[in-house]
Amino acid sequence: MSRPTTRSKNKRHRQVENDDTTSEILRKIHATGQINDDDVFQLYMITKPVCQGCRVNTKDNPNCFCGLIPPPNGSRKTGLWQKMSDIVQAFGPDPFKDLRASAYSPAGLTNLGATCYANSILQCLYMNKSFRQGVFSVEPDILEQHPVLDQLARLFAQLHASKMAFIDSAPFIKTLELDNGVQQDSHEFLTLLFSLLERCLSHSKVTKARTIVQDLFRGSVSHVTTCSKCGKDSEASSKMEDFYEVELNVKGLKTLDESLNDYLSVEELHGDNQYFCESCNTRVDASRSIKLRTLPDVLNFQLKRYDFLQKTTTKKKISSLFSFPGELDMRGRLSEPSQVELIYDLSAVLIHKGTAANSGHYIAHIKDENTGLWWEFDDEHVSNLGHHPFGEGSSTSNTKSIRTEPVVYSSCIGVDGTANGNHLDQIQQQHAESSIGSHAEIFSSTDAYMIMYNLRCNKKNDMRGCTMYSANCMELEGDVVFLHDGISLPSHLFQEIKDLNSSYDDACEQYKLKKERELEHITARRQEVRSVLSEAPVHSVEEPFYWISTDWLRQWADNITPPVLNNTSIQCFHGKVPVSKVGFVKRLSAKAWMKLFSKYNGGPALAKADYCMECLIDVARTVVCADSYRDRRKLMKEIADNVLLGKCVDGTYYVSKAWLQQWVKRKTLDAPSEADAGPTMSITCPHGHLMPEQAAGAKRLLVPEKLWLFFYEDAITIKPDEPSGCSTFPFDFQECPECSNALSEVACLEDSIRAVKLKQRQNHEKLATGKSIPLSLNCKYYLVPSTWLSKWRSYITASGKNISSMEPEILDGIINLLKCEKHLRLLERPPKVVYKRGSYFQKSSTNGVVPKRTAY
């Protein structure tokens, strides 16, 4: 037998013993009318030992304080004893969690639903120091005139100097009127944003700000067509076209070098595709190619990852591995030789995660120009990747310098060790004339969608591309504020950011103070509860003590802010503690009581001697009466059993048989209950007399006089104002003549109806039983509604209690239901007739056909 079962059984035995002892003491008090101290100690369980370590707070021991608080390392789901982490969480969002890791850590941007494409582009633009400072140099009045430019400056200022770990991008997104529920293409967004910014910045009087987009991102190309016959270029070949990104094919191509070769490759025009040469004045073979004329400081390569499928008219993403260098030499790519080195360093990789062209997720890996560290920008989350664009683990273990040996491409693994859709790939080194530098690292990715390179600043060369603005060359009219990375904010933006940071600092400080105050309060409350409960037990009957409500004590021990001390629930009408409340009180030492009473007020104070003598005497009388009633009821039940078994021969009074059966089944109680009323109610007729036994529910039995007197006494006790519910009917009491006559009339009527039904059933036996009736050519037949026929069958077959079931309507009135009101013709076709075994029968139909034999 398991231990818990044994323990629970022992508890039940002890409870029975306690009940017996209590009853004995109460009987003695009722008999003698005297109460001594021992009686009080026993009844109020004062002498029970102080409980030690039970799992619950037991009701049968006022000296048990167990279970009011959890074990030392335990906790509860609510209240004072929750886990500290849950209590802190209830204080609300912790603003410290939104604090940047350091002043040198970039901030993220909130995703408003499907704005990751915009966030990635904005981070790429912000991390370009030249572009950032150009935006900051715009005059305040120009910002006021152009909301998009104004919100961009504010957004950049917050990214630059706010203490927040991520910035709300909603004001800027709303100014652009972008639908934040629709995913868009980052390349298209960048193109439209550049166009918009160019128009807005053109109004600025600050030289660097006015042309910052063109200076940083604009290059030029020309589309050259050369005649193979005369060797002259077309007139259009001399036209220069601007570009802000170079769109490169990736389908079937593995490296950036191959894609550039494909972009600059020569296309031969011949056959149907010949070129009309104005010099030769005829269609001739020719060649066509793209020539790079000038390159921007920020060279942006747009990878054509989406392939249009003509059959389905949908786009499919190309997820092939694509490789690109960390260092790119573009001098050999220009149409005309350049005397200046054009070395570009990888500065950003825009990544599209997902397989679908119109969905997925954009993130950006961007290099910090100040520290050389790479960061992953994933909306609100910004992660440090170290000195490798795809994580330090990839850089140190998988990337090698390119010389003449094969190069192992890095697996683009993030700092957390998870793959980002990029893979290891080993390729042979490109030929010496490749545009890739001789010591560059090679990176590869299946998800790279846009690659950005910054022109390297080389003081030895006269480079027009090194546009790193210093504070001295700014053309801002107002005051400027210099920050740690050399980028300055205009005063109005600085003051705005200062106010935001101050507000944020205040929120952090308020949260910190609230947290400290609440945690100190909770710690003090826990110490208070433990201290009071340790002093609460009363170890002897001689010590003074106070009664306290267990319910209030539990609230005080559970709640962070306890209520006022309240003992009213354990008081009787006399203002003391009745013995009936002993399971709802605890004995508290005088020292513990004074601590609680002085702090929580309330009351009333119920001391050791405040037990109620009047209630105790009343309880004793009730218990004795209950014992007497229980014994009498047990004796009466034996007599009632004999009555039901037909063994009683001295019955003199009638009671309802059904009521007596239910009375016997009920448990023996200490006092009469509601069900004990009305032993003769169901056999009393409306006239107040004995109902004929033939009436429904009027079955009765004769019981002895002493049993009847017991029933009568209980019924009057329960309902003294309703004597009619307990009418007395001796064995010679006559049945009500009016009810008897009524029953006789009903019986005669039922006999008559029964005879009519029997005659109809005999005359139309087959129709009543639903059997098929053979049809004869010499008879007339009439249509009858099937619903009426069903009612008629139910009526003639009813018996017993259903003998007087409702008679069907007369056919004269219901037969018209078969005809329409307008034309007086049949609404449905008559049943079809079939020939079986030499006779004609009607098929089943919604309408019955009743044959009637008449002369034809």
Side-chain angles (χ1 to χ4, degrees):
M1 185 177 292
S2 64
R3 185 176 177 183
T5 305
T6 303
R7 202 160 47 232
S8 62
K9 281 194 171 185
N10 291 339
K11 282 185 179 180
R12 283 196 294 270
H13 289 320
R14 286 198 297 269
Q15 185 65 42
V16 172
E17 293 171 3
N18 290 338
D19 289 344
D20 293 342
T21 303
T22 300
S23 298
E24 207 172 304
I25 295 173
L26 291 173
R27 288 193 191 95
K28 185 191 75 172
I29 293 173
H30 181 71
T32 62
Q34 297 179 354
I35 303 173
N36 56 42
D37 290 343
D38 289 338
D39 294 338
V40 174
F41 294 162
Q42 289 285 340
L43 293 173
Y44 283 82
M45 294 182 278
I46 293 174
T47 55
K48 283 203 169 186
V50 176
C51 188
Q52 298 291 337
C54 74
R55 295 180 181 178
V56 294
N57 190 263
T58 57
K59 285 188 175 182
D60 60 347
N61 187 355
N63 302 313
C64 174
F65 295 92
C66 305
L68 289 174
I69 61 175
N73 295 325
S75 63
R76 288 179 178 165
K77 292 182 178 180
T78 58
L80 180 63
W81 303 97
Q82 290 183 86
K83 293 179 180 179
M84 280 298 187
S85 58
D86 294 339
I87 293 177
V88 170
Q89 187 176 4
F91 296 161
D94 184 356
F96 283 97
K97 291 183 179 180
D98 298 336
L99 183 68
R100 290 201 204 191
S102 70
Y104 301 95
S105 300
L109 290 172
T110 55
N111 191 325
L112 306 178
T115 57
C116 57
Y117 68 95
N119 288 347
S120 300
I121 293 297
L122 290 172
Q123 293 285 18
C124 289
L125 296 178
Y126 165 78
M127 292 295 285
N128 187 294
K129 292 178 62 176
S130 302
F131 183 77
R132 187 194 325 168
Q133 193 161 15
V135 172
F136 288 159
S137 65
V138 179
E139 307 94 315
D141 59 328
I142 297 298
L143 296 179
E144 291 179 4
Q145 297 172 22
H146 302 280
V148 172
L149 197 57
D150 181 50
Q151 288 300 334
L152 182 65
R154 293 174 185 273
L155 182 66
F156 277 14
Q158 292 183 58
L159 288 170
H160 188 68
S162 170
K163 292 184 178 182
M164 300 287 288
F166 54 87
I167 309 302
D168 184 12
S169 60
F172 179 72
I173 297 298
K174 290 179 180 178
T175 303
L176 288 178
E177 298 183 354
L178 296 177
D179 185 352
N180 59 8
V182 178
Q183 178 75 284
Q184 298 187 30
D185 183 79
S186 60
H187 163 59
E188 294 176 358
F189 172 74
L190 179 61
T191 303
L192 294 174
L193 182 61
F194 276 164
S195 177
L196 180 60
L197 291 178
E198 276 190 1
R199 292 199 302 270
C200 296
L201 290 169
S202 65
H203 298 85
S204 175
K205 296 179 181 179
V206 180
T207 305
K208 296 298 183 181
R210 186 168 57 250
T211 59
I212 186 66
V213 175
Q214 300 90 316
D215 292 345
L216 288 178
F217 301 98
R218 186 174 68 182
S220 61
V221 298
S222 59
H223 296 269
V224 179
T225 304
T226 304
C227 176
S228 300
K229 186 175 181 180
C230 66
K232 293 183 179 181
D233 295 339
S234 64
E235 291 184 7
S237 300
S238 60
K239 293 182 180 180
M240 304 275 280
E241 295 182 9
D242 295 335
F243 72 86
Y244 290 88
E245 65 278 318
V246 178
E247 296 190 37
L248 300 179
N249 291 320
V250 296
K251 187 176 182 180
L253 304 172
K254 296 182 179 180
T255 66
L256 181 62
D257 192 56
E258 292 181 9
S259 291
L260 282 171
N261 290 337
D262 175 73
Y263 179 75
L264 300 173
S265 63
V266 178
E267 179 186 3
E268 298 295 336
L269 305 178
H270 50 77
D272 294 337
N273 202 25
Q274 279 186 322
Y275 159 71
F276 181 83
C277 179
E278 293 180 355
S279 298
C280 301
N281 198 28
T282 185
R283 296 183 67 87
V284 295
D285 292 342
S287 61
R288 179 182 294 168
S289 63
I290 296 175
K291 301 294 184 182
L292 288 173
R293 301 300 184 182
T294 61
L295 293 175
D297 295 343
V298 180
L299 186 55
N300 180 17
F301 293 111
Q302 169 64 37
L303 305 183
K304 293 180 170 182
R305 284 284 186 188
Y306 302 135
D307 187 23
F308 182 76
L309 303 178
Q310 292 184 349
K311 289 185 178 180
T312 59
T313 65
T314 58
K315 291 181 179 180
K316 178 183 178 183
K317 183 179 177 181
I318 301 171
S319 298
S320 59
L321 197 68
F322 190 79
S323 303
F324 46 91
E327 176 185 302
L328 181 64
D329 186 352
M330 289 296 291
R331 183 166 54 176
R333 297 290 187 179
L334 287 177
S335 59
E336 297 179 3
S338 174
Q339 300 301 320
V340 181
E341 286 188 352
L342 294 177
I343 305 298
Y344 286 83
D345 293 313
L346 184 65
S347 62
V349 181
L350 192 71
I351 294 172
H352 175 266
K353 293 183 176 181
T355 57
N358 299 321
S359 61
H361 183 59
Y362 288 97
I363 64 172
H365 291 193
I366 309 173
K367 184 179 181 180
D368 190 326
E369 297 177 26
N370 294 321
T371 63
L373 294 175
W374 283 84
W375 297 86
E376 180 183 81
F377 294 86
D378 186 356
D379 292 328
E380 296 91 343
H381 307 288
V382 180
S383 306
N384 190 343
L385 300 175
H387 291 277
H388 190 285
F390 296 103
E392 289 288 1
S394 301
S395 176
T396 57
S397 60
N398 298 318
T399 303
K400 296 182 180 179
S401 297
I402 298 179
R403 295 183 184 276
T404 57
E405 70 277 15
V407 177
V408 177
Y409 279 65
S410 68
S411 169
C412 298
I413 305 296
V415 292
D416 59 350
T418 58
N420 291 325
N422 310 292
H423 311 277
L424 284 171
D425 185 31
Q426 186 170 356
I427 65 170
Q428 298 296 326
Q429 180 183 349
Q430 304 297 324
H431 196 262
E433 62 265 24
S434 169
S435 63
I436 301 175
S438 60
H439 297 283
E441 290 182 322
I442 304 298
F443 310 104
S444 61
S445 171
T446 58
D447 290 328
Y449 182 61
M450 190 181 294
I451 308 171
M452 289 186 178
Y453 286 87
N454 283 358
L455 185 62
R456 183 180 298 174
C457 293
N458 191 341
K459 294 181 181 180
K460 295 180 181 180
N461 298 323
D462 183 16
M463 295 185 62
R464 65 167 180 81
C466 188
T467 54
M468 300 297 291
Y469 307 122
S470 65
N472 295 328
C473 70
M474 290 188 62
E475 299 179 28
L476 184 64
E477 294 181 357
D479 295 333
V480 296
V481 182
F482 302 103
L483 302 176
H484 59 81
D485 59 355
I487 302 295
S488 54
L489 286 176
S491 57
H492 72 282
L493 288 179
F494 177 82
Q495 188 59 44
E496 181 177 320
I497 299 304
K498 184 179 178 181
D499 293 342
L500 286 174
N501 285 339
S502 177
S503 176
Y504 178 67
D505 288 338
D506 289 343
C508 290
E509 186 63 24
Q510 292 297 325
Y511 180 86
K512 179 183 176 182
L513 292 175
K514 178 182 177 182
K515 180 179 177 181
E516 291 176 352
R517 184 171 58 251
E518 292 294 330
L519 293 183
E520 286 177 2
H521 174 66
I522 289 169
T523 302
R525 280 281 296 120
R526 289 183 176 182
Q527 291 175 351
E528 175 199 0
V529 172
R530 289 193 179 99
S531 174
V532 171
L533 291 182
S534 67
E535 299 171 348
V538 183
H539 297 282
S540 67
V541 295
E542 291 81 12
E543 292 182 37
F545 66 85
Y546 289 83
W547 298 106
I548 192 167
S549 165
T550 304
D551 180 62
W552 183 88
L553 196 63
R554 185 174 289 109
Q555 292 184 51
W556 165 79
D558 277 345
N559 296 345
I560 296 176
T561 304
V564 175
L565 199 158
N566 187 359
N567 269 340
T568 56
S569 63
I570 61 172
Q571 282 185 296
C572 66
F573 292 115
H574 311 100
K576 297 186 177 183
V577 181
V579 71
S580 60
K581 297 291 185 178
V582 71
F584 305 95
V585 296
K586 297 295 177 185
R587 290 175 66 226
L588 208 61
S589 69
K591 185 176 181 181
W593 167 261
M594 290 309 299
K595 284 186 176 181
L596 294 177
F597 187 70
S598 62
K599 186 172 183 179
Y600 299 102
N601 300 318
L606 299 170
K608 176 180 181 179
D610 286 330
Y611 62 90
C612 187
M613 294 277 289
E614 290 87 347
C615 289
L616 190 55
I617 293 173
D618 186 61
V619 168
R621 181 175 60 254
T622 302
V623 168
V624 172
C625 292
D627 290 344
S628 175
Y629 180 82
R630 194 184 304 109
D631 293 340
R632 285 183 62 205
R633 186 166 183 132
K634 190 181 295 183
L635 179 62
M636 293 299 111
K637 188 175 181 180
E638 293 178 1
I639 298 173
D641 287 335
N642 290 330
V643 171
L644 291 172
L645 294 173
K647 297 180 180 180
C648 180
V649 294
D650 57 346
T652 55
Y653 291 91
Y654 285 115
V655 296
S656 167
K657 182 178 180 180
W659 180 92
L660 185 62
Q661 290 172 336
Q662 293 298 321
W663 185 88
V664 169
K665 291 178 182 179
R666 287 196 293 278
K667 293 181 179 179
T668 301
L669 305 175
D670 295 340
S673 64
E674 190 77 15
D676 291 331
T680 59
M681 184 177 296
S682 62
I683 63 174
T684 303
C685 75
H687 312 100
H689 301 296
L690 182 64
M691 185 176 289
E693 193 167 7
Q694 295 81 9
K699 296 294 181 183
R700 63 272 192 133
L701 293 172
L702 286 170
V703 299
E705 184 177 5
K706 57 181 178 181
L707 181 57
W708 165 251
L709 292 176
F710 181 81
F711 290 158
Y712 185 82
E713 181 182 342
D714 283 355
I716 295 301
T717 301
I718 297 300
K719 293 185 178 181
D721 298 329
E722 297 183 19
S724 60
C726 193
S727 301
T728 302
F729 298 123
F731 72 96
D732 56 352
F733 199 91
Q734 297 296 320
E735 295 179 349
C736 178
E738 293 182 41
C739 293
S740 298
N741 293 335
L743 284 174
S744 298
E745 292 176 2
V746 170
C748 293
L749 178 61
E750 288 180 351
D751 289 341
S752 174
I753 293 173
R754 192 178 295 108
V756 172
K757 290 181 179 181
L758 179 61
K759 185 175 181 180
Q760 289 184 16
R761 194 161 54 240
Q762 290 173 348
N763 291 342
H764 309 287
E765 181 178 357
K766 287 189 177 183
L767 193 61
T769 56
K771 294 182 179 180
S772 299
I773 301 173
L775 305 179
S776 174
L777 296 176
N778 298 323
C779 292
K780 285 185 178 180
Y781 296 94
Y782 299 88
L783 292 175
V784 176
S786 58
T787 54
W788 183 91
L789 198 58
S790 298
K791 289 181 180 178
W792 176 78
R793 288 194 181 110
S794 300
Y795 173 70
I796 64 172
T797 56
S799 60
K801 294 182 180 180
N802 299 324
I803 190 68
S804 59
S805 59
M806 187 176 294
E807 186 176 358
E809 302 92 327
I810 298 174
L811 271 174
D812 290 343
I814 202 168
I815 200 70
N816 291 327
L817 295 177
L818 298 177
K819 297 180 293 184
C820 70
E821 296 181 0
K822 186 175 182 180
H823 308 97
L824 299 178
R825 294 180 180 273
L826 289 176
L827 290 171
E828 297 184 24
R829 292 178 179 274
K832 292 183 178 180
V833 177
V834 295
Y835 183 75
K836 290 182 180 179
R837 302 174 185 174
S839 301
Y840 291 94
F841 297 90
Q842 68 170 333
K843 280 189 174 181
S844 59
S845 172
T846 56
N847 293 317
V849 178
V850 181
K852 181 177 182 182
R853 300 184 183 278
T854 61
Y856 186 72

